[in-house]
Amino acid sequence: MEALFIFILKSSGLLAMFYFAYIFLLRKETFFNSSRWFLIAGLITSVVLPFVVYTKVIWVEAPPAIAPTTIITTTENAVKNIPTSSQYAIVYTPQYKPTTVTVVEEEDFEINWSLILAVVYGIGFLAFLIKFALDFYSLHSVLKGRKIEQQNDFKFIDVDENIAPFSYFDYIVYNSSLYTAAELENILEHEKVHSDQKHTVDVLISRIFCMLFWFNPIVWLYKKAILQNLEFIADSEASKKIADKKAYQYTLLKITTHDTCVAITNHFYQSLIKKRIVMLNKNQSKKRNYWKYSAVIPALGAFVLLFQIRTIAQEKKQDEVAVVKRDTVKDSDETIKITKNTTDKELNELPGKLKANHNLDVEISDVKRNTKEELTAIQIKVKSDSGKKQTIKIDGDEAIKDCELAIGTDENGAKSININTDRNLRMPITIRNERIIVRNHGESDIAAPVPPAFPSGPLPPAPAVDMSKMPKPPVAPRNPKDKVAMQKFEKEMEEFEKKMENFQPNIDAMSAYGDAVSEIMSKREAIYEKEMAKYEIAMEKFNAQMEKFNYDFKFSFGDDSKDYENSMKQYEQDMKQYELDMKQHKENMKQHAKNMKQHEKEMKQHEKNMKEMEKQNKKA
């Protein structure tokens, strides 16, 4: 729908450009035939040019490749890359563990404006199409069963109806009884020009554009300009074959008495008689004024430059790819091996040992083991003297493969540390259910923020009130004049008031309990709203990080990268499940709030009932 809207805007703009160029520059010139083709060219250009798009290619330097990084490997199963930035090999690791929930989505009423606009356009188009068909039927009724007189390439039809003379392709229709011989000759010469130059084609084309773009007022003005120019052409050509131009002009005035015209034809009579007579007596325009037709070319060029150029970026092919170097160990001083059976004690002692012996910083975290006490997950961060950083993270369900920490000096003589494995691949990989992440110059993964939970906690205990023990008020006697009954009623009322005084603390306790619960829930709701505001800010930051991450990866490896596709599918699945959980969480919170409001409403109603009952008792 958006593409159609853009096309309509562009087409309307081009049509307006040609129309105003004709009105302000060409309308008063006598280059009628040239103006005819100018106006037709405007219609065609307004439809064709919006589809003509020039593609401009911008060549950009390819980002430097990442140096080969040693990683943990398992079996010889196929490996797949996970996303990494061109500058920081930051990866997306699913941090969110979705839970299976069932969400019942509420269907909100939403107005489909696209459908409404399509229906409105369809109704308008259908109405004008029916009008077009009726005009054809009216024309067919005029031509059907008539006597046709063939002369050269023209077919003359003399009718009895009081209609204005018109031509339709090679048909020329007139009523000879309404005119003198000289007037009829002037009319036929005019209509022969229409027929000979196929002006009916122009009329039909303009009519079709009015049906397709019926909502655009410029189209209707454009059609009027086309019909007006056709009349100027016919008048100009007919006057060259007629000796008495004044008689021809009088014929134009006489035809104005006819009210009936047949649509989709070239009428001898138009509502522009004054303008036609002015143009008949106008001197021929100078040929140097032909430059006005080219005035629209700069505007068309500006249109193409502004709206019809699509820019794409492509990477330059490089013979030598720049490589981001990492630490390499030239002379190894010590090698430390980490296996699945390495104990927690050995892992805890390792950072201190490396710091004391080699002044190297190593941090080990996220250690996990299976039931056999074998290592299944570990994260190792190392930092060399040169400032280079490297992180390896293994997270899976099976025991890890062996790896080594090689400590020594690099080519510059500085202390360095490197992680060695039995394979050396260019990218971080995912093998079966074991995810291995290697980052250079990075410190953290991109993780989705955790939504806040509604504050929980104990509520004040509800007072134990048995409402069935609440005293019932006595019924007043129907006859107030019955003294015995009234005395009995007064005694019962005194007893009821004593019982109500004893029961009043229960009513006060229930009212206080309702106020306390409402106050606690209001405070919790305020806390929850603040936490949600913080969460929304965190989500915006997270989305911005993911957008930058996607852009970096696309820039490095292109949109067609299988690694990008696989990782994005995983990310989309996590986010969809995350969205479902959030919707369920939101529904739970809504239901909780609804329950609390209902409880508060019931408490207020109960309190109201009690006050009303007490009021009635006092009145009684």
Side-chain angles (χ1 to χ4, degrees):
M1 192 68 184
E2 183 181 357
L4 178 61
F5 181 69
I6 293 174
F7 168 77
I8 290 173
L9 285 179
K10 290 182 178 180
S11 180
S12 300
L14 290 169
L15 210 61
M17 184 192 306
F18 276 87
Y19 174 74
F20 289 116
Y22 172 78
I23 292 298
F24 294 117
L25 297 177
L26 303 171
R27 181 178 55 175
K28 295 182 180 180
E29 302 296 336
T30 59
F31 310 130
F32 304 126
N33 282 297
S34 299
S35 296
R36 176 193 179 188
W37 300 117
F38 177 84
L39 292 170
I40 294 297
L43 292 177
I44 297 173
T45 303
S46 67
V47 174
V48 175
L49 192 57
F51 293 104
V52 178
V53 179
Y54 171 72
T55 302
K56 181 181 179 181
V57 178
I58 297 177
W59 295 95
V60 296
E61 297 291 340
I66 299 173
T69 305
T70 55
I71 57 171
I72 301 296
T73 60
T74 57
T75 62
E76 295 182 357
N77 293 344
V79 298
K80 298 181 179 179
N81 297 333
I82 60 176
T84 177
S85 168
S86 59
Q87 183 180 5
Y88 304 103
I90 300 175
V91 299
Y92 165 70
T93 305
Q95 300 290 329
Y96 172 68
K97 296 181 180 180
T99 57
T100 304
V101 296
T102 303
V103 178
V104 180
E105 297 185 0
E106 296 182 0
E107 296 184 0
D108 297 329
F109 176 74
E110 185 177 352
I111 299 176
N112 190 340
W113 290 108
S114 298
L115 180 60
I116 292 175
L117 292 176
V119 171
V120 171
Y121 173 81
I123 293 174
F125 176 76
L126 184 61
F128 284 102
L129 183 63
I130 293 173
K131 179 65 168 59
F132 191 60
L134 292 176
D135 292 340
F136 262 111
Y137 177 77
S138 176
L139 175 64
H140 179 71
S141 301
V142 173
L143 300 179
K144 183 179 179 181
R146 303 290 183 175
K147 182 181 179 181
I148 300 175
E149 182 180 349
Q150 183 79 37
Q151 292 183 12
N152 298 329
D153 295 331
F154 307 107
K155 297 177 181 179
F156 295 97
I157 299 178
D158 192 356
V159 298
D160 299 329
E161 291 85 351
N162 183 15
I163 60 176
F166 67 88
S167 63
Y168 178 74
F169 289 105
D170 53 351
Y171 289 93
I172 298 176
V173 180
Y174 56 93
N175 186 345
S176 59
S177 63
L178 300 176
Y179 314 104
T180 63
E183 291 172 345
L184 186 60
E185 181 183 356
N186 294 338
I187 292 171
L188 294 181
E189 287 297 335
H190 179 95
E191 298 301 332
K192 284 179 181 179
V193 177
H194 282 314
S195 180
D196 189 50
Q197 295 190 10
K198 309 298 181 186
H199 289 177
T200 305
V201 175
D202 300 48
V203 176
L204 292 176
I205 290 175
S206 63
R207 186 68 180 273
I208 290 172
F209 267 79
C210 286
M211 285 193 300
L212 293 174
F213 301 97
W214 58 267
F215 51 86
N216 188 355
I218 296 293
V219 175
W220 297 95
L221 296 174
Y222 206 95
K223 174 194 170 189
K224 183 178 179 181
I226 289 176
L227 298 181
Q228 172 185 300
N229 188 68
L230 293 179
E231 293 303 320
F232 292 161
I233 293 173
D235 289 338
S236 177
E237 295 297 326
S239 63
K240 294 177 182 179
K241 301 177 183 180
I242 298 173
D244 191 354
K245 287 187 177 182
K246 287 187 178 181
Y248 182 79
Q249 295 174 25
Y250 283 126
T251 303
L252 292 180
L253 294 173
K254 183 175 180 179
I255 300 302
T256 59
T257 58
H258 300 290
D259 298 329
T260 305
C261 299
V262 179
I264 62 173
T265 60
N266 299 111
H267 309 149
F268 184 85
Y269 162 65
Q270 293 286 340
S271 61
L272 304 167
I273 296 300
K274 182 179 177 180
K275 292 183 180 179
R276 289 170 64 182
I277 293 175
V278 169
M279 295 305 289
L280 274 172
N281 294 280
K282 189 177 179 68
N283 294 327
Q284 290 293 318
S285 300
K286 297 179 181 180
K287 290 186 177 181
R288 64 185 181 185
N289 290 341
Y290 269 108
W291 70 267
K292 295 181 179 181
Y293 288 102
S294 60
V296 75
I297 294 177
L300 291 176
F303 175 84
V304 172
L305 291 175
L306 291 175
F307 305 109
Q308 300 304 108
I309 293 181
R310 179 179 58 191
T311 303
I312 60 175
Q314 290 188 2
E315 293 181 0
K316 293 180 180 179
K317 294 183 179 179
Q318 298 182 353
D319 296 332
E320 296 182 1
V321 180
V323 177
V324 178
K325 293 184 178 180
R326 61 177 178 81
D327 287 344
T328 57
V329 176
K330 183 178 179 182
D331 298 322
S332 178
D333 296 338
E334 184 180 358
T335 300
I336 299 174
K337 192 171 186 178
I338 298 177
T339 68
K340 63 182 179 181
N341 296 319
T342 301
T343 63
D344 290 341
K345 181 180 180 181
E346 293 172 335
L347 293 176
N348 293 333
E349 292 175 351
L350 183 58
K353 179 180 177 182
L354 292 174
K355 185 67 175 177
N357 297 339
H358 305 285
N359 194 27
L360 293 173
D361 295 325
V362 176
E363 180 182 342
I364 299 176
S365 60
D366 299 339
V367 177
K368 296 180 183 178
R369 298 181 182 274
N370 57 18
T371 54
K372 298 179 182 179
E373 293 300 319
E374 297 174 335
L375 278 175
T376 59
I378 188 172
Q379 176 172 285
I380 306 173
K381 293 183 179 181
V382 298
K383 181 179 179 181
S384 303
D385 284 349
S386 60
K388 299 289 185 180
K389 298 179 182 180
Q390 188 179 17
T391 300
I392 182 169
K393 181 176 181 179
I394 310 171
D395 188 6
D397 299 328
E398 299 179 359
I400 68 170
K401 304 300 177 181
D402 297 348
C403 65
E404 294 179 344
L405 301 181
I407 300 97
T409 57
D410 59 14
E411 295 178 352
N412 298 324
K415 280 282 185 178
S416 101
I417 185 169
N418 194 21
I419 303 174
N420 296 326
T421 61
D422 57 347
R423 294 182 71 180
N424 193 9
L425 300 179
R426 180 176 182 271
M427 292 287 183
I429 62 172
T430 300
I431 304 177
R432 289 187 290 180
N433 64 339
E434 182 176 56
R435 184 176 294 277
I436 302 169
I437 302 169
V438 178
R439 302 193 307 276
N440 289 322
H441 313 286
E443 289 296 335
S444 62
D445 297 328
I446 301 176
V450 180
F454 193 87
S456 59
L459 293 174
V465 178
D466 188 358
M467 297 303 296
S468 62
K469 295 182 179 180
M470 182 177 176
K472 295 181 180 181
V475 180
R478 294 182 178 180
N479 186 8
K481 295 181 179 181
D482 189 346
K483 295 182 179 181
V484 177
M486 286 300 297
Q487 289 176 356
K488 181 180 180 183
F489 173 71
E490 289 175 357
K491 291 181 180 180
E492 290 176 350
M493 279 299 299
E494 290 177 359
E495 294 177 359
F496 171 74
E497 289 175 358
K498 292 179 181 180
K499 292 179 181 179
M500 282 300 298
E501 289 177 358
N502 295 331
F503 194 80
Q504 185 63 36
N506 295 327
I507 298 176
D508 295 339
M510 288 297 295
S511 179
Y513 170 73
D515 294 339
V517 170
S518 298
E519 183 179 358
I520 292 173
M521 293 307 298
S522 297
K523 291 180 179 179
R524 291 179 182 179
E525 187 175 354
I527 294 173
Y528 178 71
E529 288 178 355
K530 290 182 180 178
E531 293 298 322
M532 280 300 297
K534 294 180 182 178
Y535 168 73
E536 290 174 357
I537 295 173
M539 278 300 297
E540 291 178 359
K541 183 178 179 181
F542 170 72
N543 292 332
Q545 290 175 341
M546 287 306 301
E547 287 179 3
K548 182 180 182 301
F549 169 76
N550 294 340
Y551 173 80
D552 290 341
F553 192 87
K554 286 183 181 180
F555 188 80
S556 300
F557 303 104
D559 292 334
D560 297 331
S561 172
K562 291 183 179 179
D563 307 315
Y564 174 77
E565 183 180 353
N566 294 335
S567 296
M568 285 302 100
K569 285 182 179 178
Q570 178 63 39
Y571 170 71
E572 288 174 2
Q573 290 176 1
D574 289 349
M575 291 309 296
K576 285 181 180 178
Q577 186 62 48
Y578 179 76
E579 185 178 356
L580 289 176
D581 289 349
M582 282 302 300
K583 286 184 178 179
Q584 182 62 34
H585 179 72
K586 187 177 180 180
E587 291 297 325
N588 293 340
M589 290 299 99
K590 284 184 178 180
Q591 186 62 40
H592 180 73
K594 186 177 180 181
N595 293 339
M596 293 307 300
K597 287 182 179 179
Q598 182 64 29
H599 177 71
E600 183 180 359
K601 185 177 179 181
E602 291 175 355
M603 291 298 297
K604 288 182 178 180
Q605 184 63 37
H606 178 72
E607 184 179 358
K608 184 178 179 181
N609 293 339
M610 293 300 299
K611 290 181 179 179
E612 185 67 24
M613 185 180 296
E614 184 178 359
K615 185 177 180 181
Q616 291 178 356
N617 292 336
K618 288 182 178 180
K619 286 183 178 181

